């Protein structure tokens, strides 16, 4: 294992080195939080693919393939569909807003009265997303070094917190690009073909497994529908995803770079399912499907290659973890703390803003590590995160982008009713039940439409400023008052 250990250690040291390099570039709030909005197509595509394909997509995707066969690809497939929809239909408009958070977008659209409550919901989502990624370090470091769970979480989480705190989005962008390359080589180019060959090829796999393993809809229509609601729609509105859209240097980069990343996700989804199906042939008696990835890597891959593939799994977890961490800290600082204590001081310079956001990443990183140590169930934590996001924020965000008649009161009612409905239904039906997201989303929609129609339309000046910002006018021009007839 010495060669494998060397590969992993070099990879981790490289992540810290990139954090140090990113610190030298992050001299302003824009540089620190959204990489100066300067990412070109290659960097944008790679980093976007890296953040959406985390440990759940890699280890969990292989586990679903082990349990259901090729239809196990649907979870990651719906993530790719969501990213494609975001890129094609919404990313250009989102990038032109020149904001830092989803709540800022809601304030612009509805007139500045939706920020704190929506910020709290988004903060809860990004926090739980970061926690689930951090918990996954325990599985990977256990395979690598046979470490205690708590020690593994602290080591993995500390590395991510360190490079994220040092350089912000620049560090995360650079590390994500490396992680994208490592995942592509480790999972698609090495593990996938080796797993299929070790299982005897597709003909042998079909001969040894039930026919439902090769049914594209074998996982069940209701499950697929739930995945679409949670993951496809979740991709449209998550702060972690939007913050990457904000890094694009142009509308075209956001649209086409995201389309490339979404297509890559579809390929990755199928690869994970095939690897899991091959693992079912090789190890038919595993007690936990999520052990399939680590088992096939540990037992079937040659020296050195094993280290690279485990580094790919570590890369998948780190990319999602760092993206969720900076999103969590950005929301906590910009949408919650800054609003509660009042506007930013007029004498605050760019360095102060960088320092403040850096402090919040460090604080949120400690909170994430502590919460990850306290929790055990990754699936439940992730389900809570996405149920809150979709049930509470999907309707007011998409409504703001698509329906002119939506109002601030409707948006607030939608967030509150949808969020409370999701929490209540999870308590009643269970966290893993489908009903919370179904009925939470429906109640959010009803509240948004009803309250919007019963309240005064959004001020014409607010809508005019919103349209100018969507068209790519500067924030200063977009904030100027305009006559109502415009």
């Amino acid at each position: 294992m010495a060669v494998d250990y060397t590969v992993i250690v070099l990879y981790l040291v490289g992540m810290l080195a990139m954090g140090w390099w990113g610190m030298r570039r992050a001299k302003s709030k824009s540089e620190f939080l959204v990489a100066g909005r300067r990412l070109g197509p290659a960097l944008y595509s790679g980093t976007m693919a890296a953040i959406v394909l985390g440990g759940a997509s890699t280890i969990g995707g292989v586990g679903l393939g082990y349990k259901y066969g090729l239809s196990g690809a649907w979870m990651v497939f719906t993530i790719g569909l969501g990213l494609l929809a975001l890129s094609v239909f919404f990313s250009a408009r989102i990038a032109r807003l020149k904001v830092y958070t989803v709540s800022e977008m809601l304030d612009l659209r509805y007139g500045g009265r939706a920020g704190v409550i929506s910020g709290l919901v988004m903060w809860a989502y990004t926090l739980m997303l970061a926690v689930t990624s951090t918990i996954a370090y325990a599985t990977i470091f256990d395979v690598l070094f046979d470490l205690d769970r708590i020690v593994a979480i602290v080591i993995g989480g500390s590395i991510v917190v360190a490079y994220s705190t040092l350089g912000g989005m620049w560090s995360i962008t650079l590390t994500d690009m490396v992680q994208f390359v490592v995942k592509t080589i480790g999972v698609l180019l090495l593990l996938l073909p080796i797993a299929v060959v070790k299982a005897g090829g597709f003909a042998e796999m079909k001969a040894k497994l039930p026919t439902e393993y090769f049914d594209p809809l074998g996982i069940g229509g209701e499950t697929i529908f739930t995945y679409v609601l949670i993951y496809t729609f979740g991709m449209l509105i998550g702060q972690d995803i939007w913050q990457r859209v904000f890094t694009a240097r142009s509308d075209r980069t956001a649209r086409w770079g995201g389309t490339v990343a979404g297509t890559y996700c579809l390929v990755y989804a199928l690869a994970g399912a095939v690897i899991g199906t091959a693992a079912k042939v090789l190890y038919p008696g595993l007690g936990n499907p999520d052990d399939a990835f680590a088992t096939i890597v540990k037992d079937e891959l040659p020296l050195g290659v094993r280290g690279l593939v485990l580094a790919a799994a570590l890369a998948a977890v780190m990319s999602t973890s760092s993206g969720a961490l900076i999103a969590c800290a950005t929301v906590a600082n910009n949408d919650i703390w800054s609003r509660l204590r009042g506007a930013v001081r007029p004498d605050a310079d760019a360095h102060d803003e960088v320092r403040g956001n850096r402090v919040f990443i460090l604080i949120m990183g400690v909170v994430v590590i502590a919460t990850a140590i306290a929790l055990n169930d990754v699936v439940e934590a992730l389900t809570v995160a996405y149920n809150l996001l979709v049930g509470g924020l999907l309707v007011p965000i998409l409504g703001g982008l698509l329906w002119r008649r939506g109002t601030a009161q409707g948006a607030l009612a939608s967030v509150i009713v949808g969020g409370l409905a999701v929490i209540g239904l999870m308590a009643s039906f269970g966290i893993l039940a489908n009903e919370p997201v179904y009925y939470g989303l429906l109640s959010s929609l009803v509240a948004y439409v009803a309250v919007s129609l019963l309240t005064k339309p959004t001020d014409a000046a607010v809508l005019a400023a919103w349209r100018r910002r969507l068209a790519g006018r500067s924030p200063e021009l977009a904030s100027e008052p305009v006559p109502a007839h415009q």
Side-chain angles (χ1 to χ4, degrees), residues 74-86:
W74 272 106
M75 183 187 79
V76 183
F77 200 83
T78 55
I79 290 174
L81 291 178
L83 187 52
L84 285 171
L86 174 71

Side-chain angles (χ1 to χ4, degrees), residues 9 43 68 74 116 131 141 156 182 184 219 240 316 346 379 394 407 411:
V9 170
L43 275 178
Y68 297 106
W74 272 106
V116 174
V131 166
F141 278 96
V182 170
T184 301
I219 199 170
D240 52 323
V379 176
L394 177 68
T407 66

Side-chain angles (χ1 to χ4, degrees), residues 162 259 272 297-298 311 322 336 375 389:
T259 300
V297 169
K298 194 173 184 179
S322 59
I336 300 174
L375 294 179
L389 177 71

Side-chain angles (χ1 to χ4, degrees), residues 92-94 96-97 400-401 465-473:
R93 282 186 284 175
I94 292 171
R96 286 196 293 265
L97 290 174
L401 289 169
W466 164 254
R467 288 196 301 271
R468 283 201 295 265
R469 185 73 77 92
L470 281 178
R473 301 282 294 276

